[in-house]
């Protein structure tokens, strides 16, 4: 079960995303891609509420490593899409149909990824709690 920190982290990320809107979040995503992600890749695969998604580029075939906020509950992995479903890594993952996820030093194979709406009942309880806090 995720900690209170995980719930607070998801809630904060979702609030920021809602306040800034999609255009500003895309600008932040571009900045993070080149500035903060290289640093986050050092520690994200080892912390409880973060992970690295290793995915293959749709056109280039190059392997990318993207740090994400990840929650694992009841055997399911949930990653909040703060930058939207049109992020490069999300589109790469959907095109390939699979990726590797490194969480707490262990590698997992993710297959058949799907984007679940925020109000879907199958979301982990932590996400439902975060959504109820931000309205």
């Amino acid at each position: 079960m995720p900690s209170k920190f995980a719930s607070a982290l998801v809630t904060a990320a979702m609030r920021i995303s809602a306040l800034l809107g999609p255009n500003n979040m895309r600008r932040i995503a571009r900045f993070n891609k080149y500035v903060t992600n290289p640093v986050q890749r050092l520690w994200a695969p080892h912390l409880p509420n973060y992970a690295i998604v290793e995915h293959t580029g749709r056109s280039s075939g190059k392997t990318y490593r993207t740090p994400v906020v990840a929650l694992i509950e009841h055997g399911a992995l949930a990653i909040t899409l703060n930058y939207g479903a049109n992020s490069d890594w999300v589109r790469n993952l959907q095109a390939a149909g699979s990726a590797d996820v490194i969480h707490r030093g262990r590698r997992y194979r993710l297959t058949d990824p799907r984007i679940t709406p925020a109000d879907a009942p199958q979301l982990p309880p932590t996400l439902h709690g975060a959504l109820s806090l931000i309205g």
Side-chain angles (χ1 to χ4, degrees):
M1 176 144 218
S3 66
K4 289 182 181 181
F5 174 76
S7 296
L9 182 68
V10 169
T11 301
M14 293 172 88
R15 281 185 178 167
I16 291 168
S17 181
L19 285 172
L20 293 177
N23 290 337
N24 287 327
M25 289 305 292
R26 291 302 316 143
R27 287 184 194 103
I28 292 170
R30 281 190 295 278
F31 175 82
N32 284 344
K33 184 176 183 176
Y34 298 105
V35 179
T36 60
N37 284 1
V39 175
Q40 289 182 354
R41 280 193 281 272
L42 300 173
W43 51 264
H46 306 289
L47 295 178
N49 303 310
Y50 293 88
I52 294 287
V53 176
E54 287 187 347
H55 52 96
T56 304
R58 298 179 304 285
S59 302
S60 68
K62 180 180 173 183
T63 300
Y64 294 96
R65 296 171 42 93
T66 303
V68 295
V69 173
L71 300 172
I72 296 179
E73 283 187 40
H74 310 295
L77 169 70
I79 299 171
T80 59
L81 302 181
N82 295 329
Y83 304 123
N86 288 324
S87 297
D88 286 335
W89 74 268
V90 176
R91 295 185 325 176
N92 288 344
L93 186 64
Q94 289 179 312
S98 65
D100 285 343
V101 175
I102 304 168
H103 179 261
R104 298 194 81 164
R106 294 183 62 192
R107 181 178 295 271
Y108 301 91
R109 187 71 181 163
L110 176 64
T111 57
D112 192 28
R114 60 189 181 275
I115 296 174
T116 305
D119 59 355
Q122 68 267 32
L123 285 180
T126 300
L127 291 178
H128 281 294
L131 288 168
S132 68
L133 288 174
I134 63 171

